Amino acid sequence: MEMLPQQLLNGIILGGTYGLIAVGLTLIFGLLRIFNIAHGEVMTLGAFAYYYASSLAGLPWPVCLVSSILVGIITGYIVERLLFRKFIGDTEGAFIMAFGVSMAIQGIGFYFWKGVPRYTNPPIDGVFDLGWLTMPYHRMLVFGLTILSFVLLYYFLRKTKTGKSIRAIAQNPTAASLMGISSRWTYQLIFLIGSGMAGLCGGMLATQMTVGPFMGHFLVLKAFVVVVLGGMGSVPGALVGGLILGMVESLGSSYLSPYFRDGYGFILLILILLFRPKGLFGSKSVI
Amino acid sequence: MNALFSRIKFLFVLVTVIFLAFPFLLKGAIAAPEIKYETFYWGSFFELTGPGAIWGEASLNATRLAVEEINENGGFKVGNKHYRIKLLEGDTEGKTEKAVAVVTKQLNEHHPVVFSGPGISITSAPIMEMIKTRKDFLNVSHATILANKCKESPLFFCTSKQVWNGPDIVDYIVDKIGVKKVAIMAGSDEFGHLAAEQEYAVHFRRKGVQITDIVYFPPDTHDFYAFLSKIKPHKPDMIFICYYDSHTQGIIRQALELGITKNFGNRAASITSAEPFKNQVENFVWTAGFDMDYSKIPNILAYKERFKKRYGRYPANKYNDGAVLVNYDFVPMVVKAMQSARTTTDVNAIAKALRKTVYTGVEGKIYFRESGNAVVPRWGGHMKKGGAISYFEVVPKPELCGD
């Protein structure tokens, strides 16, 4: 039990990461009904952008994060414009397309970057250490930035005119179009926001783990669990779902068995869906 | 007179031209018969994507280079037939089911009698089962995790446990660094379990080292905090990691952040994983294979130039190019065995000849023990704080070769 505070803290920090991966996905999946499995690869590209900006160009970490966001947005723009636009409304076609994009980016990434792990310096040094509770400052910084990202995104969607447009399209595309809101532009914006969040997430993860061409692939599957757990299209749901999943995995791995780590999340998902089929926050107009 | 002189001059020029052209005319007239080459299919199954890709790609590069060099030098001759090798390639992704699919496809299409692979040991097991069932191909592998299972089939050859890792790395860690308590971390797959329990835990205990924890993590783990938090209270002198580069780097990073220890050991990664932390880590000891960055051994230097010519870069430690070098030497070794057995199709005869083959390759003298374990000269690496790297030779001890 002496490890409990540490494991809880580990779980919260981990959960923040999952939430950040999931929030971009929940926008795209929840609103556009695109099962974008390539989301993980956008995150990977964001991580590499951070790596090159930080380790090779020596830029300050806020600039590196901005570069990650920009890479995510540009990738999202290209992918949406050239590939996904035709599949709005066609869930199956979009999934197959996303799968192809994911494989293509992984293959190209491996061709250029190989399997060599890459390391980036943490944005800040030092460790918060009470003996029974230890956490590096950079992980706390990343968690803080994660919460800030959620708050800003939520504010954007709730309080700004553009955010209200997005919510209007999500609620009733036909009515929104009749009110003069361009659905095509809004869909593109949703995709860009989601991809930008993926890039940001990749940049933040680059400060915590090794950067490699397959890093996003493993994490995006967790993100889908979080999206369904929290409710499709729900920004608060993505955060809460992520935190829950992170804590369950951390505590389960420590006190039960590490082999079943992934299983804890899925069991939780099944239980939640049995009682709340739309997820924790999925019953209302979500964003 | 002038006419006569002109005629003489003409005849002189004609004779000179004929004299100079004679050898070429003769060559054309009795030109050597064109050699007819048959295709010898050489199978391979390496992980070219996925977490073990750094091993698979390096292994394939070494194998491919050997094949191309043999072909460029006129192929090889067995009996009265000349052969050129066609290397078949397939990506196993580090997954056992994919490895089986890759091998099966190659067998169905081209019936190779020799397979090289894998890069990481985990995909060896199902292929070994295929060999035991089908008995129509042999496998030369640098996979060590099944080294003591080589004797289950005369058609399976791999590098001895002793040579890669195990005892001498542990002996060095205990004798030179003075480790008394160690925590072992490994991936929760067959490779991780075998490496942790059968290779390292055994030898750490042999040397009287207390094993504080053996912790397994799922192979797709990137965040090791939960696992490291379990180890921290036991204050190990060293964390020994039986898994690959990306995991090792993540563990070192996070263990340093948590302040657990500054000593790390590894089996299955390269110096790449520890180098970013060279100013924080006190000691990092790993199974190095052949040092590509600092070696002055003439054979290695020559190999580096050939590699550069083919691939446009020098082989490097960070790509594990030295660690998998035995794949390069295995190719001519098998060719030599086929020549000795005078067959390219009788798998059992080739295997028998291979067991008797002693080959001096890039790495030095390689030979197979009766069990099928190859004895290969090897090195361990030691990085000290500040980044100074030294290498120590791993001399195979027969009693510890896993037979």
Side-chain angles (χ1 to χ4, degrees), chain A residues 7 10 110 114 116 119-120 134 136 138-139 207 210 258-259 261, chain B residues 48 53 57 193 216 220-221 223 225-226 229 232 249 253 257 277:
Chain A
Q7 296 295 13
N10 290 340
F110 182 71
K114 310 296 178 195
V116 179
Y119 168 84
T120 61
T134 307
H138 72 87
R139 278 172 71 96
T207 67
T210 56
Y259 297 100
R261 185 198 62 189
Chain B
L48 305 179
E57 206 204 347
H193 274 275
Y216 296 101
D220 62 351
T221 302
D223 189 315
Y225 270 79
S229 297
K232 188 179 176 185
Q249 193 174 90
R253 175 188 205 149
E257 287 171 355
F277 314 102

PDB file of all heavy atoms in Angstrom, chain A residues 7 10 110 114 116 119-120 134 136 138-139 207 210 258-259 261, chain B residues 48 53 57 193 216 220-221 223 225-226 229 232 249 253 257 277:
ATOM      1  N   GLN A   7       1.615   5.088  -7.413  1.00  0.00           N
ATOM      2  CA  GLN A   7       0.948   4.455  -8.549  1.00  0.00           C
ATOM      3  C   GLN A   7      -0.258   5.278  -9.000  1.00  0.00           C
ATOM      4  O   GLN A   7      -0.574   5.336 -10.192  1.00  0.00           O
ATOM      5  CB  GLN A   7       0.517   3.021  -8.204  1.00  0.00           C
ATOM      6  CG  GLN A   7       1.678   2.081  -7.902  1.00  0.00           C
ATOM      7  CD  GLN A   7       2.590   1.825  -9.109  1.00  0.00           C
ATOM      8  OE1 GLN A   7       2.528   2.519 -10.127  1.00  0.00           O
ATOM      9  NE2 GLN A   7       3.438   0.832  -9.000  1.00  0.00           N
ATOM     10  N   ASN A  10       1.235   8.025 -10.958  1.00  0.00           N
ATOM     11  CA  ASN A  10       1.642   7.480 -12.264  1.00  0.00           C
ATOM     12  C   ASN A  10       0.443   7.350 -13.186  1.00  0.00           C
ATOM     13  O   ASN A  10       0.487   7.679 -14.365  1.00  0.00           O
ATOM     14  CB  ASN A  10       2.289   6.100 -12.101  1.00  0.00           C
ATOM     15  CG  ASN A  10       3.644   6.140 -11.427  1.00  0.00           C
ATOM     16  OD1 ASN A  10       4.297   7.183 -11.402  1.00  0.00           O
ATOM     17  ND2 ASN A  10       4.067   5.011 -10.869  1.00  0.00           N
ATOM     18  N   PHE A 110       9.360   4.090 -41.513  1.00  0.00           N
ATOM     19  CA  PHE A 110      10.403   3.103 -41.241  1.00  0.00           C
ATOM     20  C   PHE A 110      11.502   3.176 -42.288  1.00  0.00           C
ATOM     21  O   PHE A 110      12.685   2.985 -41.986  1.00  0.00           O
ATOM     22  CB  PHE A 110       9.811   1.698 -41.205  1.00  0.00           C
ATOM     23  CG  PHE A 110      10.842   0.651 -40.884  1.00  0.00           C
ATOM     24  CD1 PHE A 110      11.376   0.553 -39.616  1.00  0.00           C
ATOM     25  CD2 PHE A 110      11.306  -0.214 -41.863  1.00  0.00           C
ATOM     26  CE1 PHE A 110      12.343  -0.393 -39.321  1.00  0.00           C
ATOM     27  CE2 PHE A 110      12.265  -1.161 -41.577  1.00  0.00           C
ATOM     28  CZ  PHE A 110      12.786  -1.253 -40.304  1.00  0.00           C
ATOM     29  N   LYS A 114      14.119   4.088 -39.856  1.00  0.00           N
ATOM     30  CA  LYS A 114      14.537   2.764 -39.392  1.00  0.00           C
ATOM     31  C   LYS A 114      13.990   2.522 -37.986  1.00  0.00           C
ATOM     32  O   LYS A 114      13.108   3.201 -37.503  1.00  0.00           O
ATOM     33  CB  LYS A 114      16.073   2.631 -39.395  1.00  0.00           C
ATOM     34  CG  LYS A 114      16.722   3.051 -40.684  1.00  0.00           C
ATOM     35  CD  LYS A 114      16.295   2.162 -41.845  1.00  0.00           C
ATOM     36  CE  LYS A 114      16.923   2.658 -43.134  1.00  0.00           C
ATOM     37  NZ  LYS A 114      16.288   2.079 -44.325  1.00  0.00           N
ATOM     38  N   VAL A 116      15.714   2.700 -35.220  1.00  0.00           N
ATOM     39  CA  VAL A 116      16.592   3.261 -34.195  1.00  0.00           C
ATOM     40  C   VAL A 116      15.793   4.184 -33.273  1.00  0.00           C
ATOM     41  O   VAL A 116      15.145   5.112 -33.750  1.00  0.00           O
ATOM     42  CB  VAL A 116      17.739   4.068 -34.854  1.00  0.00           C
ATOM     43  CG1 VAL A 116      18.630   4.675 -33.789  1.00  0.00           C
ATOM     44  CG2 VAL A 116      18.526   3.171 -35.788  1.00  0.00           C
ATOM     45  N   TYR A 119      15.980   9.958 -28.899  1.00  0.00           N
ATOM     46  CA  TYR A 119      15.784  10.512 -27.558  1.00  0.00           C
ATOM     47  C   TYR A 119      15.766  12.028 -27.646  1.00  0.00           C
ATOM     48  O   TYR A 119      16.571  12.631 -28.358  1.00  0.00           O
ATOM     49  CB  TYR A 119      16.938  10.042 -26.664  1.00  0.00           C
ATOM     50  CG  TYR A 119      17.040  10.751 -25.343  1.00  0.00           C
ATOM     51  CD1 TYR A 119      16.271  10.346 -24.263  1.00  0.00           C
ATOM     52  CD2 TYR A 119      17.918  11.821 -25.179  1.00  0.00           C
ATOM     53  CE1 TYR A 119      16.370  10.996 -23.043  1.00  0.00           C
ATOM     54  CE2 TYR A 119      18.016  12.467 -23.960  1.00  0.00           C
ATOM     55  CZ  TYR A 119      17.245  12.058 -22.895  1.00  0.00           C
ATOM     56  OH  TYR A 119      17.340  12.691 -21.693  1.00  0.00           O
ATOM     57  N   THR A 120      14.849  12.660 -26.928  1.00  0.00           N
ATOM     58  CA  THR A 120      14.878  14.121 -26.831  1.00  0.00           C
ATOM     59  C   THR A 120      15.065  14.494 -25.366  1.00  0.00           C
ATOM     60  O   THR A 120      14.577  13.803 -24.468  1.00  0.00           O
ATOM     61  CB  THR A 120      13.568  14.755 -27.330  1.00  0.00           C
ATOM     62  OG1 THR A 120      12.489  14.275 -26.522  1.00  0.00           O
ATOM     63  CG2 THR A 120      13.300  14.403 -28.770  1.00  0.00           C
ATOM     64  N   THR A 134       7.458  10.445  -6.101  1.00  0.00           N
ATOM     65  CA  THR A 134       8.485  11.000  -6.987  1.00  0.00           C
ATOM     66  C   THR A 134       7.867  11.267  -8.349  1.00  0.00           C
ATOM     67  O   THR A 134       7.150  10.417  -8.885  1.00  0.00           O
ATOM     68  CB  THR A 134       9.649   9.994  -7.164  1.00  0.00           C
ATOM     69  OG1 THR A 134      10.123   9.595  -5.888  1.00  0.00           O
ATOM     70  CG2 THR A 134      10.782  10.610  -7.956  1.00  0.00           C
ATOM     71  N   PRO A 136       9.117  13.466 -12.051  1.00  0.00           N
ATOM     72  CA  PRO A 136       9.941  14.481 -12.722  1.00  0.00           C
ATOM     73  C   PRO A 136       9.097  15.701 -13.077  1.00  0.00           C
ATOM     74  O   PRO A 136       7.914  15.579 -13.425  1.00  0.00           O
ATOM     75  CB  PRO A 136      10.417  13.784 -13.998  1.00  0.00           C
ATOM     76  CG  PRO A 136      10.169  12.343 -13.777  1.00  0.00           C
ATOM     77  CD  PRO A 136       9.041  12.227 -12.813  1.00  0.00           C
ATOM     78  N   HIS A 138       9.228  17.510 -15.664  1.00  0.00           N
ATOM     79  CA  HIS A 138       8.793  17.608 -17.058  1.00  0.00           C
ATOM     80  C   HIS A 138       7.499  16.837 -17.280  1.00  0.00           C
ATOM     81  O   HIS A 138       6.676  17.226 -18.112  1.00  0.00           O
ATOM     82  CB  HIS A 138       9.904  17.162 -18.027  1.00  0.00           C
ATOM     83  CG  HIS A 138      10.183  15.685 -18.050  1.00  0.00           C
ATOM     84  ND1 HIS A 138       9.496  14.819 -18.853  1.00  0.00           N
ATOM     85  CD2 HIS A 138      11.088  14.930 -17.387  1.00  0.00           C
ATOM     86  CE1 HIS A 138       9.967  13.595 -18.680  1.00  0.00           C
ATOM     87  NE2 HIS A 138      10.930  13.644 -17.789  1.00  0.00           N
ATOM     88  N   ARG A 139       7.296  15.754 -16.538  1.00  0.00           N
ATOM     89  CA  ARG A 139       6.028  15.030 -16.694  1.00  0.00           C
ATOM     90  C   ARG A 139       4.877  15.842 -16.111  1.00  0.00           C
ATOM     91  O   ARG A 139       3.764  15.822 -16.629  1.00  0.00           O
ATOM     92  CB  ARG A 139       6.115  13.664 -16.030  1.00  0.00           C
ATOM     93  CG  ARG A 139       6.802  12.634 -16.926  1.00  0.00           C
ATOM     94  CD  ARG A 139       7.070  11.334 -16.213  1.00  0.00           C
ATOM     95  NE  ARG A 139       5.881  10.556 -15.936  1.00  0.00           N
ATOM     96  CZ  ARG A 139       5.427   9.549 -16.708  1.00  0.00           C
ATOM     97  NH1 ARG A 139       6.055   9.250 -17.828  1.00  0.00           N
ATOM     98  NH2 ARG A 139       4.375   8.856 -16.352  1.00  0.00           N
ATOM     99  N   THR A 207       8.863  14.049 -25.369  1.00  0.00           N
ATOM    100  CA  THR A 207       9.675  14.444 -24.211  1.00  0.00           C
ATOM    101  C   THR A 207       9.689  13.361 -23.136  1.00  0.00           C
ATOM    102  O   THR A 207      10.444  13.451 -22.178  1.00  0.00           O
ATOM    103  CB  THR A 207       9.133  15.727 -23.569  1.00  0.00           C
ATOM    104  OG1 THR A 207       7.845  15.453 -22.992  1.00  0.00           O
ATOM    105  CG2 THR A 207       8.998  16.835 -24.582  1.00  0.00           C
ATOM    106  N   THR A 210      10.789   7.206 -26.012  1.00  0.00           N
ATOM    107  CA  THR A 210      11.616   7.180 -27.211  1.00  0.00           C
ATOM    108  C   THR A 210      10.747   7.382 -28.437  1.00  0.00           C
ATOM    109  O   THR A 210       9.591   6.952 -28.484  1.00  0.00           O
ATOM    110  CB  THR A 210      12.350   5.834 -27.351  1.00  0.00           C
ATOM    111  OG1 THR A 210      11.384   4.783 -27.336  1.00  0.00           O
ATOM    112  CG2 THR A 210      13.309   5.618 -26.215  1.00  0.00           C
ATOM    113  N   PRO A 258       0.881  -7.533 -14.522  1.00  0.00           N
ATOM    114  CA  PRO A 258       1.193  -6.668 -15.661  1.00  0.00           C
ATOM    115  C   PRO A 258       0.801  -7.284 -16.997  1.00  0.00           C
ATOM    116  O   PRO A 258       0.637  -6.587 -17.985  1.00  0.00           O
ATOM    117  CB  PRO A 258       2.718  -6.510 -15.575  1.00  0.00           C
ATOM    118  CG  PRO A 258       3.187  -7.745 -14.864  1.00  0.00           C
ATOM    119  CD  PRO A 258       2.092  -8.113 -13.916  1.00  0.00           C
ATOM    120  N   TYR A 259       0.652  -8.609 -17.037  1.00  0.00           N
ATOM    121  CA  TYR A 259       0.349  -9.272 -18.302  1.00  0.00           C
ATOM    122  C   TYR A 259      -1.008  -8.842 -18.841  1.00  0.00           C
ATOM    123  O   TYR A 259      -1.235  -8.827 -20.035  1.00  0.00           O
ATOM    124  CB  TYR A 259       0.319 -10.797 -18.125  1.00  0.00           C
ATOM    125  CG  TYR A 259       1.639 -11.383 -17.703  1.00  0.00           C
ATOM    126  CD1 TYR A 259       1.870 -11.719 -16.372  1.00  0.00           C
ATOM    127  CD2 TYR A 259       2.656 -11.576 -18.623  1.00  0.00           C
ATOM    128  CE1 TYR A 259       3.083 -12.246 -15.981  1.00  0.00           C
ATOM    129  CE2 TYR A 259       3.866 -12.110 -18.234  1.00  0.00           C
ATOM    130  CZ  TYR A 259       4.069 -12.437 -16.916  1.00  0.00           C
ATOM    131  OH  TYR A 259       5.274 -12.953 -16.523  1.00  0.00           O
ATOM    132  N   ARG A 261      -2.457  -5.995 -18.473  1.00  0.00           N
ATOM    133  CA  ARG A 261      -2.587  -4.546 -18.419  1.00  0.00           C
ATOM    134  C   ARG A 261      -3.626  -4.037 -19.402  1.00  0.00           C
ATOM    135  O   ARG A 261      -4.490  -3.238 -19.053  1.00  0.00           O
ATOM    136  CB  ARG A 261      -1.236  -3.899 -18.724  1.00  0.00           C
ATOM    137  CG  ARG A 261      -1.247  -2.391 -18.573  1.00  0.00           C
ATOM    138  CD  ARG A 261      -0.074  -1.776 -19.272  1.00  0.00           C
ATOM    139  NE  ARG A 261      -0.145  -2.066 -20.693  1.00  0.00           N
ATOM    140  CZ  ARG A 261       0.814  -1.804 -21.553  1.00  0.00           C
ATOM    141  NH1 ARG A 261       1.936  -1.251 -21.137  1.00  0.00           N
ATOM    142  NH2 ARG A 261       0.689  -2.093 -22.824  1.00  0.00           N
TER     143      ARG A 261
ATOM    144  N   LEU B  48      11.221  -6.836 -40.403  1.00  0.00           N
ATOM    145  CA  LEU B  48      11.640  -5.585 -41.031  1.00  0.00           C
ATOM    146  C   LEU B  48      10.798  -4.427 -40.540  1.00  0.00           C
ATOM    147  O   LEU B  48      11.102  -3.269 -40.809  1.00  0.00           O
ATOM    148  CB  LEU B  48      11.530  -5.707 -42.560  1.00  0.00           C
ATOM    149  CG  LEU B  48      12.312  -6.901 -43.131  1.00  0.00           C
ATOM    150  CD1 LEU B  48      12.130  -6.976 -44.642  1.00  0.00           C
ATOM    151  CD2 LEU B  48      13.787  -6.799 -42.790  1.00  0.00           C
ATOM    152  N   ALA B  53      12.684  -4.460 -35.443  1.00  0.00           N
ATOM    153  CA  ALA B  53      13.110  -4.184 -36.812  1.00  0.00           C
ATOM    154  C   ALA B  53      14.593  -3.829 -36.915  1.00  0.00           C
ATOM    155  O   ALA B  53      15.232  -4.107 -37.928  1.00  0.00           O
ATOM    156  CB  ALA B  53      12.265  -3.051 -37.397  1.00  0.00           C
ATOM    157  N   GLU B  57      16.453  -5.817 -39.786  1.00  0.00           N
ATOM    158  CA  GLU B  57      17.014  -5.121 -40.940  1.00  0.00           C
ATOM    159  C   GLU B  57      18.529  -5.303 -40.995  1.00  0.00           C
ATOM    160  O   GLU B  57      19.095  -5.538 -42.056  1.00  0.00           O
ATOM    161  CB  GLU B  57      16.670  -3.641 -40.854  1.00  0.00           C
ATOM    162  CG  GLU B  57      16.632  -2.999 -42.215  1.00  0.00           C
ATOM    163  CD  GLU B  57      16.864  -1.508 -42.170  1.00  0.00           C
ATOM    164  OE1 GLU B  57      16.806  -0.943 -41.069  1.00  0.00           O
ATOM    165  OE2 GLU B  57      17.104  -0.931 -43.238  1.00  0.00           O
ATOM    166  N   HIS B 193      10.886 -13.994 -21.203  1.00  0.00           N
ATOM    167  CA  HIS B 193      10.892 -14.973 -20.115  1.00  0.00           C
ATOM    168  C   HIS B 193      12.138 -15.843 -20.161  1.00  0.00           C
ATOM    169  O   HIS B 193      12.798 -16.076 -19.141  1.00  0.00           O
ATOM    170  CB  HIS B 193       9.643 -15.857 -20.208  1.00  0.00           C
ATOM    171  CG  HIS B 193       8.460 -15.264 -19.523  1.00  0.00           C
ATOM    172  ND1 HIS B 193       8.231 -15.411 -18.175  1.00  0.00           N
ATOM    173  CD2 HIS B 193       7.461 -14.500 -19.989  1.00  0.00           C
ATOM    174  CE1 HIS B 193       7.123 -14.769 -17.844  1.00  0.00           C
ATOM    175  NE2 HIS B 193       6.642 -14.200 -18.928  1.00  0.00           N
ATOM    176  N   TYR B 216       8.099  -8.246 -15.564  1.00  0.00           N
ATOM    177  CA  TYR B 216       7.763  -8.383 -16.982  1.00  0.00           C
ATOM    178  C   TYR B 216       6.796  -7.276 -17.385  1.00  0.00           C
ATOM    179  O   TYR B 216       5.861  -6.960 -16.658  1.00  0.00           O
ATOM    180  CB  TYR B 216       7.128  -9.752 -17.261  1.00  0.00           C
ATOM    181  CG  TYR B 216       8.071 -10.889 -16.997  1.00  0.00           C
ATOM    182  CD1 TYR B 216       7.989 -11.640 -15.822  1.00  0.00           C
ATOM    183  CD2 TYR B 216       9.079 -11.198 -17.913  1.00  0.00           C
ATOM    184  CE1 TYR B 216       8.877 -12.671 -15.576  1.00  0.00           C
ATOM    185  CE2 TYR B 216       9.971 -12.235 -17.663  1.00  0.00           C
ATOM    186  CZ  TYR B 216       9.866 -12.966 -16.496  1.00  0.00           C
ATOM    187  OH  TYR B 216      10.750 -13.977 -16.244  1.00  0.00           O
ATOM    188  N   ASP B 220       4.364  -3.684 -25.773  1.00  0.00           N
ATOM    189  CA  ASP B 220       4.044  -2.361 -26.320  1.00  0.00           C
ATOM    190  C   ASP B 220       4.097  -1.270 -25.254  1.00  0.00           C
ATOM    191  O   ASP B 220       3.579  -0.182 -25.450  1.00  0.00           O
ATOM    192  CB  ASP B 220       2.672  -2.373 -26.995  1.00  0.00           C
ATOM    193  CG  ASP B 220       1.553  -2.694 -26.005  1.00  0.00           C
ATOM    194  OD1 ASP B 220       1.847  -3.060 -24.854  1.00  0.00           O
ATOM    195  OD2 ASP B 220       0.382  -2.595 -26.398  1.00  0.00           O
ATOM    196  N   THR B 221       4.755  -1.537 -24.164  1.00  0.00           N
ATOM    197  CA  THR B 221       4.862  -0.552 -23.077  1.00  0.00           C
ATOM    198  C   THR B 221       5.814   0.564 -23.453  1.00  0.00           C
ATOM    199  O   THR B 221       6.904   0.322 -23.981  1.00  0.00           O
ATOM    200  CB  THR B 221       5.377  -1.226 -21.795  1.00  0.00           C
ATOM    201  OG1 THR B 221       4.488  -2.279 -21.436  1.00  0.00           O
ATOM    202  CG2 THR B 221       5.461  -0.231 -20.638  1.00  0.00           C
ATOM    203  N   ASP B 223       5.523   3.503 -21.152  1.00  0.00           N
ATOM    204  CA  ASP B 223       5.595   4.173 -19.861  1.00  0.00           C
ATOM    205  C   ASP B 223       5.865   3.104 -18.804  1.00  0.00           C
ATOM    206  O   ASP B 223       5.005   2.284 -18.517  1.00  0.00           O
ATOM    207  CB  ASP B 223       4.268   4.887 -19.582  1.00  0.00           C
ATOM    208  CG  ASP B 223       4.350   5.789 -18.361  1.00  0.00           C
ATOM    209  OD1 ASP B 223       4.896   5.347 -17.324  1.00  0.00           O
ATOM    210  OD2 ASP B 223       3.868   6.926 -18.443  1.00  0.00           O
ATOM    211  N   TYR B 225       6.769   3.611 -15.617  1.00  0.00           N
ATOM    212  CA  TYR B 225       6.735   4.110 -14.236  1.00  0.00           C
ATOM    213  C   TYR B 225       6.098   3.125 -13.268  1.00  0.00           C
ATOM    214  O   TYR B 225       6.562   2.952 -12.152  1.00  0.00           O
ATOM    215  CB  TYR B 225       6.012   5.457 -14.189  1.00  0.00           C
ATOM    216  CG  TYR B 225       6.942   6.614 -14.387  1.00  0.00           C
ATOM    217  CD1 TYR B 225       7.382   6.964 -15.649  1.00  0.00           C
ATOM    218  CD2 TYR B 225       7.422   7.341 -13.301  1.00  0.00           C
ATOM    219  CE1 TYR B 225       8.266   7.998 -15.840  1.00  0.00           C
ATOM    220  CE2 TYR B 225       8.301   8.395 -13.476  1.00  0.00           C
ATOM    221  CZ  TYR B 225       8.723   8.713 -14.756  1.00  0.00           C
ATOM    222  OH  TYR B 225       9.607   9.735 -14.932  1.00  0.00           O
ATOM    223  N   ALA B 226       4.996   2.526 -13.700  1.00  0.00           N
ATOM    224  CA  ALA B 226       4.308   1.594 -12.798  1.00  0.00           C
ATOM    225  C   ALA B 226       5.227   0.437 -12.414  1.00  0.00           C
ATOM    226  O   ALA B 226       5.250   0.002 -11.256  1.00  0.00           O
ATOM    227  CB  ALA B 226       3.037   1.069 -13.457  1.00  0.00           C
ATOM    228  N   SER B 229       8.285   1.738 -10.289  1.00  0.00           N
ATOM    229  CA  SER B 229       7.884   2.102  -8.919  1.00  0.00           C
ATOM    230  C   SER B 229       7.862   0.879  -8.012  1.00  0.00           C
ATOM    231  O   SER B 229       8.058   0.990  -6.802  1.00  0.00           O
ATOM    232  CB  SER B 229       6.513   2.777  -8.924  1.00  0.00           C
ATOM    233  OG  SER B 229       6.569   3.986  -9.653  1.00  0.00           O
ATOM    234  N   LYS B 232      11.707   0.257  -7.143  1.00  0.00           N
ATOM    235  CA  LYS B 232      12.419   1.308  -6.411  1.00  0.00           C
ATOM    236  C   LYS B 232      12.645   1.006  -4.931  1.00  0.00           C
ATOM    237  O   LYS B 232      13.751   1.201  -4.426  1.00  0.00           O
ATOM    238  CB  LYS B 232      11.684   2.638  -6.588  1.00  0.00           C
ATOM    239  CG  LYS B 232      12.456   3.815  -6.017  1.00  0.00           C
ATOM    240  CD  LYS B 232      11.724   5.116  -6.219  1.00  0.00           C
ATOM    241  CE  LYS B 232      12.523   6.231  -5.520  1.00  0.00           C
ATOM    242  NZ  LYS B 232      11.835   7.523  -5.548  1.00  0.00           N
ATOM    243  N   GLN B 249      15.914   2.121 -23.677  1.00  0.00           N
ATOM    244  CA  GLN B 249      16.108   3.565 -23.550  1.00  0.00           C
ATOM    245  C   GLN B 249      15.044   4.168 -22.629  1.00  0.00           C
ATOM    246  O   GLN B 249      15.344   5.010 -21.788  1.00  0.00           O
ATOM    247  CB  GLN B 249      16.035   4.226 -24.928  1.00  0.00           C
ATOM    248  CG  GLN B 249      16.529   5.664 -24.926  1.00  0.00           C
ATOM    249  CD  GLN B 249      16.588   6.241 -26.330  1.00  0.00           C
ATOM    250  OE1 GLN B 249      15.626   6.821 -26.803  1.00  0.00           O
ATOM    251  NE2 GLN B 249      17.712   6.106 -26.982  1.00  0.00           N
ATOM    252  N   ARG B 253      15.874   5.926 -18.987  1.00  0.00           N
ATOM    253  CA  ARG B 253      15.433   7.304 -18.782  1.00  0.00           C
ATOM    254  C   ARG B 253      14.584   7.429 -17.537  1.00  0.00           C
ATOM    255  O   ARG B 253      14.804   8.279 -16.677  1.00  0.00           O
ATOM    256  CB  ARG B 253      14.642   7.728 -20.005  1.00  0.00           C
ATOM    257  CG  ARG B 253      14.026   9.074 -19.892  1.00  0.00           C
ATOM    258  CD  ARG B 253      13.102   9.322 -21.063  1.00  0.00           C
ATOM    259  NE  ARG B 253      12.985  10.746 -21.279  1.00  0.00           N
ATOM    260  CZ  ARG B 253      12.792  11.323 -22.446  1.00  0.00           C
ATOM    261  NH1 ARG B 253      12.708  10.610 -23.529  1.00  0.00           N
ATOM    262  NH2 ARG B 253      12.681  12.619 -22.538  1.00  0.00           N
ATOM    263  N   GLU B 257      15.143   9.054 -13.737  1.00  0.00           N
ATOM    264  CA  GLU B 257      14.239  10.084 -13.201  1.00  0.00           C
ATOM    265  C   GLU B 257      13.736   9.708 -11.817  1.00  0.00           C
ATOM    266  O   GLU B 257      13.585  10.559 -10.944  1.00  0.00           O
ATOM    267  CB  GLU B 257      13.059  10.297 -14.156  1.00  0.00           C
ATOM    268  CG  GLU B 257      13.434  11.049 -15.429  1.00  0.00           C
ATOM    269  CD  GLU B 257      12.322  11.060 -16.463  1.00  0.00           C
ATOM    270  OE1 GLU B 257      11.279  10.404 -16.241  1.00  0.00           O
ATOM    271  OE2 GLU B 257      12.499  11.725 -17.497  1.00  0.00           O
ATOM    272  N   PHE B 277      22.329   9.078 -22.308  1.00  0.00           N
ATOM    273  CA  PHE B 277      22.424   9.285 -20.856  1.00  0.00           C
ATOM    274  C   PHE B 277      23.854   9.092 -20.361  1.00  0.00           C
ATOM    275  O   PHE B 277      24.072   8.805 -19.177  1.00  0.00           O
ATOM    276  CB  PHE B 277      21.494   8.299 -20.133  1.00  0.00           C
ATOM    277  CG  PHE B 277      20.124   8.219 -20.734  1.00  0.00           C
ATOM    278  CD1 PHE B 277      19.771   7.147 -21.551  1.00  0.00           C
ATOM    279  CD2 PHE B 277      19.204   9.225 -20.537  1.00  0.00           C
ATOM    280  CE1 PHE B 277      18.514   7.076 -22.139  1.00  0.00           C
ATOM    281  CE2 PHE B 277      17.946   9.162 -21.116  1.00  0.00           C
ATOM    282  CZ  PHE B 277      17.599   8.091 -21.918  1.00  0.00           C
TER     283      PHE B 277
END
